[in-house]
Amino acid sequence: AALYCEAFQSLFIKSPCSISTSSLFAGGFGSVGKGKKNGSGKKIRKVSGHSGSGSKPLRIAANTFDKIYEEFGSESVNDLYVRSLDNDESTFWFVGKSARKLKGQTGESVPTAHEAVISQKRLILEYAKTLRPQNLGGPFSKRLEVWIAPGNSEMDTAQNKVALEKVDGGVSDISDTFSVNDVGYNPEIYVGDEVKDGGLRVKRDSEGRPVKAAFEINASA
């Protein structure tokens, strides 16, 4: 585990073992939306995008993520990347992780990886715009896409060993037996120079495939 964290630090990447959401919620980035409801609770976790109380849905999503991750581990997680078609189509920014219950869920069906993202897509994108406004905010925020990778695969993704998978669809693609209470979101946090220079981002083609050959990181260097 120590070498794993050191290798991440060499790439200016925060490993899952060092990420904390406890200090995230001093301010908000959007107002809370009511969301669409079904028999098992809300279908989406929504914010409007206006400055205000967006910290509440983010806090709920992060707390839910922590509980799901504690119970189910990496198998329940997907890493999340966002790209702007109006900025640099080949650059995918790591913006956090989604998690979904694998059993014992509130809804009548186990959430799919795509449902976990679609149901929280607005929250994820609004947060991404504040995380990296230089590339995902303002004029670059009109056409944003969310792509996923296996959970806790930042190292392999940075080494061009993992392809990304695009998440398409909208609320109509979410099952009526789904409940947003069964999914969570853990936002990426920038610290130090990352605020100015940015954190983990990778280059991929239009299909999410690495554009360069895979490589190894010398963790002992």
Side-chain angles (χ1 to χ4, degrees):
L3 288 177
Y4 184 74
C5 293
E6 289 172 7
F8 265 102
Q9 291 167 359
S10 71
L11 288 176
F12 304 100
I13 304 168
K14 295 185 293 299
S15 72
C17 56
S18 65
I19 292 175
S20 172
T21 59
S22 60
S23 61
L24 252 185
F25 310 106
F29 57 82
S31 59
V32 180
K34 292 182 179 179
K36 182 176 180 181
K37 295 188 176 182
N38 59 15
S40 302
K42 292 192 299 181
K43 203 170 182 180
I44 58 173
R45 183 169 284 124
K46 187 178 181 182
V47 296
S48 71
H50 297 295
S51 178
S53 56
S55 59
K56 181 177 180 180
L58 185 62
R59 181 174 63 250
I60 293 171
N63 289 338
T64 303
F65 176 96
D66 290 343
K67 293 176 182 177
I68 295 173
Y69 188 75
E70 181 178 2
E71 182 174 359
F72 298 106
S74 297
E75 186 180 355
S76 66
V77 173
N78 282 101
D79 292 350
L80 306 177
Y81 294 80
V82 171
R83 73 164 174 171
S84 169
L85 298 178
D86 297 309
N87 180 245
D88 182 351
E89 294 186 5
S90 66
T91 300
F92 295 70
W93 295 86
F94 175 69
V95 299
K97 302 168 183 285
S98 63
R100 58 194 179 95
K101 286 188 176 182
L102 302 180
K103 61 181 179 179
Q105 70 277 358
T106 301
E108 297 174 19
S109 60
V110 175
T112 67
H114 281 226
E115 285 178 329
V117 175
I118 295 171
S119 63
Q120 305 179 100
K121 187 175 181 180
R122 180 49 50 196
L123 177 65
I124 294 167
L125 292 181
E126 289 299 330
Y127 183 80
K129 288 188 285 185
T130 66
L131 178 69
R132 188 61 185 172
Q134 302 95 320
N135 301 91
L136 303 176
F140 308 125
S141 66
K142 304 302 181 184
R143 294 190 297 163
L144 299 177
E145 297 177 344
V146 182
W147 295 63
I148 60 175
N152 299 337
S153 65
E154 297 101 311
M155 179 68 77
D156 285 343
T157 304
Q159 294 176 263
N160 297 328
K161 297 178 180 179
V162 174
L164 304 182
E165 177 185 342
K166 184 180 178 181
V167 177
D168 282 317
V171 178
S172 61
D173 297 296
I174 299 176
S175 170
D176 288 336
T177 57
F178 168 89
S179 172
V180 75
N181 296 324
D182 297 326
V183 300
Y185 170 54
N186 181 32
E188 168 70 329
I189 305 170
Y190 285 171
V191 296
D193 291 341
E194 288 180 327
V195 176
K196 175 174 64 74
D197 300 332
L200 171 61
R201 66 271 203 184
V202 297
K203 294 289 186 178
R204 294 293 187 270
D205 66 16
S206 60
E207 300 297 323
R209 297 169 299 204
V211 297
K212 293 185 178 181
F215 64 95
E216 299 296 331
I217 294 176
N218 185 359
S220 61

